[in-house]
Amino acid sequence: MKNFNKELNQEKILTHLQENWVRIPNKVFSVQINQKQRIENILWDNKVSDLIILLISYGLIQISENIWNKFEREKEIKILDVKHKKIEEKLFELWAKINFKGRIIDTYFDTIDNDLKNWTSNNKIKSSIRIRYKKTPNEKSWKYYCTIKRRDKESKESLLRDCYEEEFEIFNPIIFYELLKKIWLEKYKLKVKNRVWYSLDSEKIKFDFDDYENIPELLEIEAEDSETAMKYIKELWLEKKETLNWWSSSLFKHYWLKMQKFF
């Protein structure tokens, strides 16, 4: 078993980038202390957090424009088997706007020993890293994002899943993928969905309708707190619907399906 928590060899990473003709700025950017602390709060003392901090300093990735990056936590709940068009009418009555409509491919990474999935690293708390590909029908090319996430085990939330999460835009996904392999991370599992994302300017809340193959359409609500989420669950007449507040793998298990896995 390789030592996943061993210190990152920055010189080796820099050499790899230069050999692959990646342009490194003469001036290395400073990573804000707050941002560094938030990254290390999700993935403690391991090569993933070190690599992300290093690539930010080189300007090869940057914090995305996702509004939820402004908050330390992501709080969400999945409402199963919903009728999108019916709920959309009510959302428009509340002056909701569409922020994204298109295809999403999520690829998750882990070590062969499943250090992240099995909680064997990261101070015994489950965490994850994924690369997300996003594309609308009108766009010619995909956009790429990296997300790191871990659940807050000490959260008092009873309704919502409460996670620490950070999302970064990736400018060169091929190099990023190769660098993950350099720190012994491999493509572990994959899921594909169509998503329509709505938001309300008046509230810190978003509504994601997700459509997976062989799974009834579901609504994922992300809100600042349980009170806000419940307010709109009632507003949309969804109180009696079945809900889930765990990771995506539990959604597939709920419908007796398996996510595509590579090891």
Side-chain angles (χ1 to χ4, degrees), residues 166-214:
E166 293 284 296
E167 182 185 78
F168 306 91
E169 187 173 358
I170 304 170
F171 300 123
N172 190 324
I174 296 174
I175 290 295
F176 190 81
Y177 174 71
E178 288 183 5
L179 291 175
L180 291 181
K181 289 199 291 185
K182 289 283 183 187
I183 58 172
W184 307 319
L185 289 177
E186 299 285 347
K187 186 165 58 173
Y188 165 56
K189 60 183 180 180
L190 176 146
K191 60 184 173 71
V192 182
K193 62 189 174 188
N194 294 318
R195 166 170 283 186
V196 188
W197 160 27
Y198 302 78
S199 67
L200 294 173
D201 289 336
S202 57
E203 296 271 20
K204 293 172 183 174
I205 190 167
K206 67 191 284 270
F207 307 87
D208 296 328
F209 290 91
D210 288 338
D211 187 9
Y212 296 91
E213 186 176 5
N214 299 321

Side-chain angles (χ1 to χ4, degrees), residues 48-62:
V48 184
S49 56
D50 289 347
L51 178 64
I52 288 172
I53 292 166
L54 184 67
L55 293 181
I56 293 172
S57 70
Y58 287 157
L60 298 176
I61 65 173
Q62 68 177 24

Side-chain angles (χ1 to χ4, degrees), residues 242-253:
E242 190 174 5
T243 62
L244 284 176
N245 65 354
W246 199 249
W247 304 73
S248 297
S249 54
S250 66
L251 173 67
F252 282 75
K253 286 179 182 177

Side-chain angles (χ1 to χ4, degrees), residues 6 26 62 64 70 97 105 110 114 129 141 146 156-157 168 170 175 181 190 201 203 218 231 245-246 249 253:
K6 192 178 178 183
N26 293 327
Q62 68 177 24
S64 76
K70 296 178 182 177
K97 62 181 181 182
I105 301 174
D110 207 334
N114 289 124
I129 176 171
S141 58
C146 167
K156 305 300 184 200
E157 285 281 5
F168 306 91
I170 304 170
I175 290 295
K181 289 199 291 185
L190 176 146
D201 289 336
E203 296 271 20
L218 62 99
K231 170 186 171 183
N245 65 354
W246 199 249
S249 54
K253 286 179 182 177

Side-chain angles (χ1 to χ4, degrees), residues 1 109-121 188 263:
M1 179 177 171
F109 292 79
D110 207 334
T111 67
I112 293 296
D113 297 313
N114 289 124
D115 286 297
L116 299 179
K117 173 180 175 286
N118 294 332
W119 311 10
T120 50
S121 64
Y188 165 56
F263 63 85

Side-chain angles (χ1 to χ4, degrees), residues 32-75:
Q32 294 180 1
I33 293 174
N34 178 53
Q35 189 178 50
K36 187 172 184 286
Q37 289 174 338
R38 286 175 62 152
I39 293 167
E40 291 177 339
N41 179 46
I42 298 171
L43 292 164
W44 287 296
D45 188 28
N46 66 43
K47 291 176 181 292
V48 184
S49 56
D50 289 347
L51 178 64
I52 288 172
I53 292 166
L54 184 67
L55 293 181
I56 293 172
S57 70
Y58 287 157
L60 298 176
I61 65 173
Q62 68 177 24
I63 197 81
S64 76
E65 294 180 355
N66 188 335
I67 187 173
W68 292 99
N69 279 330
K70 296 178 182 177
F71 309 107
E72 192 172 12
R73 289 183 175 93
E74 175 204 62
K75 300 181 181 183

